């Protein structure tokens, strides 16, 4: 399950919890909530590993593009040297070798640009997902904090009739 779906599930779980009479507190099954949070915690490293895999793939593509560019440049230089040795075609060979090297460099740059754009787009999508996840978690924590600040049922103190007479906070 997607981490965002898990956060939505946890929010729904808390929102649907039975309310305490005369207060904004709710009764939540601690074990169920902790189990849901543990599942979410377990899924986040998967998403992080997925992002790392994208970065590793980008590095591999860049390295492959660099090797191909080096190979093409090397071939261009070899061809250049061979043509230079022939006196009557020296000028023509220099122009051809320069063209090949220029094309190789342009192709290598094009490959680098494509890879960087792909990785940037993927990381931007991942960043948006993480930001949405963080915002959802923050909203959940704010709700929990608000519930605890308003006051609630404390099992150690037992039932307090004075709390029953207070107006509801919502």
């Amino acid at each position: 399950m997607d981490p965002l779906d898990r956060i939505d599930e946890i929010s729904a779980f808390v929102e649907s919890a039975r309310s305490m009479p005369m207060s904004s507190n709710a009764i939540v099954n601690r074990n169920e909530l902790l189990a849901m949070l543990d599942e979410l915690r377990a899924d986040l490293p998967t998403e992080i590993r997925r992002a790392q895999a994208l970065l590793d793939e980008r590095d591999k593509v860049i390295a492959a593009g660099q090797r191909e560019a080096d190979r093409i440049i090397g071939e261009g230089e070899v061809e250049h040297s061979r043509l230079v040795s022939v006196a009557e075609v020296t000028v023509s060979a220099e122009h051809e070798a320069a063209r090949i090297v220029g094309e190789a460099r342009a192709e290598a740059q094009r490959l680098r640009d494509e890879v960087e754009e792909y990785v940037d787009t993927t990381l931007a999508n991942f960043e948006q997902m993480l930001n949405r996840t963080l915002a959802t978690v923050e909203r959940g924590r704010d709700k929990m904090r608000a519930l605890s600040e308003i006051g609630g049922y404390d099992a150690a103190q037992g039932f307090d009739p004075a709390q029953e007479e207070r107006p509801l906070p919502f």
Side-chain angles (χ1 to χ4, degrees), residues 22-25 142-153 163 166-170:
M22 306 302 285
S23 78
S24 65
N25 292 338
D142 287 344
K143 284 182 182 179
M144 294 298 290
R145 205 174 300 117
L147 288 174
S148 70
E149 287 176 4
I150 291 172
Y153 180 78
Q163 284 187 349
R166 289 190 343 210
L168 292 175
F170 44 83

Side-chain angles (χ1 to χ4, degrees), residues 97-116:
R99 183 189 63 78
I100 291 171
V101 168
E103 285 177 5
R105 288 187 176 136
E107 179 66 16
Q109 185 61 46
R110 185 187 65 77
L111 288 172
R112 275 189 218 106
D113 292 345
E114 284 181 10
V115 167
E116 288 178 5

Side-chain angles (χ1 to χ4, degrees), residues 10-42:
I10 292 169
S11 292
F13 177 74
V14 170
E15 288 171 359
S16 68
R18 189 169 51 119
S19 296
M20 290 295 299
M22 306 302 285
S23 78
S24 65
N25 292 338
I27 297 174
V28 177
N29 184 318
R30 181 180 299 174
N31 290 335
E32 284 183 47
L33 183 58
L34 289 174
M36 289 178 190
L37 290 171
D38 286 343
E39 289 174 6
L40 175 62
R41 187 177 291 121

Side-chain angles (χ1 to χ4, degrees), residues 18-95:
R18 189 169 51 119
S19 296
M20 290 295 299
M22 306 302 285
S23 78
S24 65
N25 292 338
I27 297 174
V28 177
N29 184 318
R30 181 180 299 174
N31 290 335
E32 284 183 47
L33 183 58
L34 289 174
M36 289 178 190
L37 290 171
D38 286 343
E39 289 174 6
L40 175 62
R41 187 177 291 121
D43 284 348
L44 285 178
T46 302
E47 296 299 326
I48 293 170
R49 281 192 298 274
R50 202 176 304 161
Q52 185 59 47
L54 285 172
L55 290 173
D56 293 344
E57 182 66 23
R58 179 202 70 166
D59 291 343
K60 287 178 186 177
V61 170
I62 288 173
Q66 186 62 46
R67 283 191 305 274
E68 179 67 13
D70 291 345
R71 182 191 64 78
I72 292 170
I73 290 170
E75 287 176 2
E77 289 171 350
V78 166
E79 182 68 12
H80 175 73
S81 295
R82 185 186 68 77
L83 292 174
V84 168
S85 66
V86 178
E88 53 209 25
V89 291
T90 300
V91 173
S92 175
E94 288 176 352
H95 290 295

